[in-house]
Amino acid sequence: MRVDLFDFDLPPERIALRPARPRDAARMLVVEGEAPFTDRHVFDLPGILRRGDVLVFNDTRVIPAQLEGRRGEARIGATLHKRVDLRRWQAFVRNAKRLKSGDRIAFPADVHALAEERHEDGSWTLFFEGDEPVEVLLERAGRMPLPPYIAGKRETDEADASDYQTMFAREKGAVAAPTAALHFTPELVERLDAAGIARETLTLHVGAGTFLPVKAEDTADHRMHAEWGRIDAETADRLNAARAAGGRLIAVGTTSLRLLESAADDDDIIRPFAGDTSIFITPGYRFKAIDGLMTNFHLPKSTLFMLVSALMGLEKMQAAYAHAIAGQYRFYSYGDSSLLLPA
């Protein structure tokens, strides 16, 4: 499909620079089958979902993966993207033309890395020197990697260390938050429990590639970035049992959805999964593992807007986004939510 079919005009003032407070006070647009759109709030969720439904969360934890350093007199910026091994990370590098294999980059707090290899997509493999775990080095030298559409408008500050982390964050390794779950609070989870709505977690370490623009003119020519994820056997069994009993699996975020769909077989059974996924979901895809999606509002011409269009239909999502823009919804990572329930 032509990528320009997924374009739309978004006024810059609709981009949220801070989250709603409290988190579950964010607005939520409900898009359900052929029903009219309804304007709700995230705290309404227990009354919208049904007993026996399951919310599936991503428990990845964002690491301070944004680094600013120098190679000689040249300023070098690095955003870690994907772990290679215990001391190596693949990174997108700013001012990469000043970098060559073997160069040593000095970051703050006496953290150093060697530029080992440049890849076809322009990223580099960085080898972090020393004996301390790389995560410890990042805590000293790194910053929270806010999305470029926020970082370009304001500085990262102390509030972002907690604002850009979900209450489910456990497994360190993401360089971008699974932002749909930012809206959840302990109080909301208690109310969901009381309503008989279950929850499960999986892990997908979100990479910086999630923010890369689609440069191809046709979706068939776009190469999707890979991210590492895991669903254990016990979780897969519980998800399959819940669905067999009539419950709906509602992915909280496109990261959860992509991993569930990667783990599902052609018989719509979710299997244990551990490894990379580069699944790219566009209209025409047959969903095998999920019955709904809770997600924020996405960028024009992004792979994520293509994904929600695959779930609900392109025309439906174009109308939903037009409704959201006209209704002053807040967009992107710190913005409002949508609940997508196909017929």
Side-chain angles (χ1 to χ4, degrees), residues 92-319:
F92 294 109
V93 175
R94 191 176 69 253
N95 209 13
K97 63 184 179 182
R98 305 293 297 273
L99 205 59
K100 62 181 185 296
S101 295
D103 282 348
R104 190 170 187 250
I105 307 169
F107 296 115
D110 199 31
V111 174
H112 297 84
L114 295 177
E116 286 194 336
E117 180 185 3
R118 186 180 187 276
H119 303 282
E120 288 183 6
D121 62 1
S123 65
W124 280 81
T125 294
L126 301 183
F127 174 87
F128 286 86
E129 299 177 345
D131 298 321
E132 294 176 286
V134 174
E135 288 78 7
V136 173
L137 302 180
L138 294 176
E139 291 292 340
R140 291 211 308 262
R143 294 182 299 146
M144 191 63 76
L146 286 184
Y149 45 75
I150 296 176
K153 295 192 174 186
R154 68 166 178 83
E155 291 293 324
T156 305
D157 57 30
E158 290 184 7
D160 293 307
S162 57
D163 285 347
Y164 200 57
Q165 208 76 266
T166 77
M167 65 172 286
F168 308 99
R170 299 288 183 273
E171 301 291 333
K172 293 181 179 179
V175 300
T179 54
L182 292 178
H183 301 296
F184 285 79
T185 64
E187 294 77 14
L188 176 58
V189 167
E190 286 182 9
R191 293 174 53 231
L192 288 163
D193 289 347
I197 296 156
R199 62 184 181 278
E200 295 286 351
T201 59
L202 45 73
T203 303
L204 182 81
H205 290 322
V206 192
T210 192
F211 301 121
L212 292 178
V214 178
K215 297 180 179 180
E217 294 183 359
D218 193 282
T219 58
D221 299 322
H222 176 66
R223 183 177 178 183
M224 192 71 172
H225 60 282
E227 295 166 321
W228 185 90
R230 179 183 60 229
I231 301 175
D232 62 41
E234 293 80 7
T235 301
D237 288 344
R238 289 193 299 269
L239 290 169
N240 291 322
R243 211 176 188 197
R248 296 176 298 179
L249 302 189
I250 311 296
V252 180
T254 57
T255 61
S256 295
L257 183 151
R258 292 178 64 244
L259 186 56
L260 288 167
E261 290 296 320
S262 299
D265 63 21
D266 289 337
D267 294 322
D268 301 350
I269 301 299
I270 298 167
R271 302 296 182 183
F273 186 98
D276 285 350
T277 176
S278 56
I279 189 171
F280 181 26
I281 296 175
T282 57
Y285 177 85
R286 186 183 75 82
F287 288 87
K288 299 173 288 187
I290 62 97
D291 305 290
L293 170 67
M294 184 176 173
T295 186
N296 289 13
F297 293 94
H298 303 294
L299 280 71
K301 296 196 292 187
S302 64
T303 60
L304 301 182
F305 185 62
M306 295 172 192
L307 183 155
V308 297
S309 298
L311 181 63
M312 302 302 296
L314 176 56
E315 186 176 343
K316 186 81 169 182
M317 291 313 301
Q318 287 171 331

Side-chain angles (χ1 to χ4, degrees), residues 20-32:
R21 301 194 192 281
R23 293 186 181 207
D24 59 5
R27 299 174 69 194
M28 183 173 69
L29 178 62
V30 180
V31 183
E32 184 171 8

Side-chain angles (χ1 to χ4, degrees), residues 70-111:
R70 288 186 175 275
R71 186 208 53 81
E73 296 299 315
R75 293 171 62 93
I76 303 292
T79 300
L80 303 191
H81 164 50
K82 187 172 182 290
R83 180 193 294 277
V84 178
D85 57 30
L86 288 177
R87 305 221 63 82
R88 291 174 174 83
W89 275 78
Q90 195 170 336
F92 294 109
V93 175
R94 191 176 69 253
N95 209 13
K97 63 184 179 182
R98 305 293 297 273
L99 205 59
K100 62 181 185 296
S101 295
D103 282 348
R104 190 170 187 250
I105 307 169
F107 296 115
D110 199 31
V111 174

